[in-house]
Amino acid sequence: GAVVSQHPSWVICKSGTSVKIECRSLDFQATTMFWYRQFPKQSLMLMATSNEGSKATYEQGVEKDKFLINHASLTLSTLTVTSAHPEDSSFYICSATAGLDTQYFGPGTRLTVL
Amino acid sequence: ILNVEQSPQSLHVQEGDSTNFTCSFPSSNFYALHWYRWETAKSPEALFVMTLNGDEKKKGRISATLNTKEGYSYLYIKGSQPEDSATYLCASNTGTASKLTFGTGTRLQVTL
């Protein structure tokens, strides 16, 4: 089946620093990648949609200058949390699709901002 | 229904029991209903994608049905095993490669 990796699986950083999370489709070309976030006891919520070579589309309420998304190739998308603060502590997970119906997910990244 | 809702929130069954969960979703602008199985520290695993009213899909001991007119889907597990222990997520979307709107999941624990 289609495999999506995500790195790192967990990260702890100091307030004010930036953190980059990578999402890779290992055995298929992902025309579209999605970034979701999950707070405790809540559902996965979409942050942004990215298509290779174009700017990401952000959901309402998600600051594009804070959550920088780059989808430079058909197998890699990155999410950078800039100037992270404790309220950005969350579980971030990406998914990828080759343009068909199924979205394949990475294992997620647990971000803790001190 | 405005959001995707799942029930029950959690479920504890014994090995060999059969069980089922419910997913309710908005029936307007519906395109597809997705079921995922998510074990701790792993990637959510896609189980089914269902698009047509009356769809029924099966994968081993797991099956799912879809009613798009009333906006619900059932997931059934026959003869539960400890390895079935996971959180089962459903999500709906409005088009191919469009965003998924998720429920909060049903957490299943199967004990010996």
Side-chain angles (χ1 to χ4, degrees), chain B residues 12-16 80-83 85 109-112:
Chain B
H12 193 156
V13 302
Q14 292 203 312
E15 183 182 16
S80 303
Q81 299 296 310
E83 57 264 30
S85 298
Q109 190 171 355
V110 183
T111 52
L112 297 169

Side-chain angles (χ1 to χ4, degrees), chain B residues 47-59:
Chain B
L47 291 174
F48 305 113
V49 180
M50 308 171 77
T51 57
L52 299 176
N53 185 45
D55 248 356
E56 235 180 277
K57 294 206 172 181
K58 190 174 180 181
K59 186 176 183 178

Side-chain angles (χ1 to χ4, degrees), chain A residues 53-87:
Chain A
S54 58
K55 288 184 179 179
T57 303
Y58 291 81
E59 293 296 298
Q60 193 171 9
V62 178
E63 299 175 56
K64 62 180 181 180
D65 294 330
K66 181 167 187 61
F67 299 100
L68 301 179
I69 290 172
N70 186 284
H71 191 165
S73 76
L74 284 171
T75 59
L76 173 65
S77 176
T78 59
L79 168 68
T80 302
V81 183
T82 62
S83 187
H85 288 97
E87 57 266 30

Side-chain angles (χ1 to χ4, degrees), chain A residues 34-45:
Chain A
F34 303 86
W35 287 94
Y36 296 82
R37 178 169 56 180
Q38 185 181 39
F39 290 108
K41 299 194 183 300
Q42 295 186 23
S43 60
L44 294 171
M45 296 290 291

Side-chain angles (χ1 to χ4, degrees), chain B residues 1 19 23 34 47 59 64 67 73-74 79 81 93 95-96 98 104:
Chain B
I1 293 176
T19 187
C23 173
H34 304 246
L47 291 174
K59 186 176 183 178
N67 182 320
S73 174
Y74 294 133
Q81 299 296 310
N93 63 349
T96 302
S98 67
T104 51

Side-chain angles (χ1 to χ4, degrees), chain A residues 8-12 38 40 90-92 108-112:
Chain A
S9 54
W10 58 269
V11 57
I12 301 172
Q38 185 181 39
S90 187
F91 183 78
Y92 294 85
T109 298
R110 173 77 56 193
L111 170 64
T112 302

Side-chain angles (χ1 to χ4, degrees), chain B residues 25 28 39 41 44 63 75-76 78 83 91 106:
Chain B
F25 55 89
S28 61
E39 289 182 72
S63 60
L75 187 81
Y76 301 91
K78 185 177 177 182
E83 57 264 30
T106 293

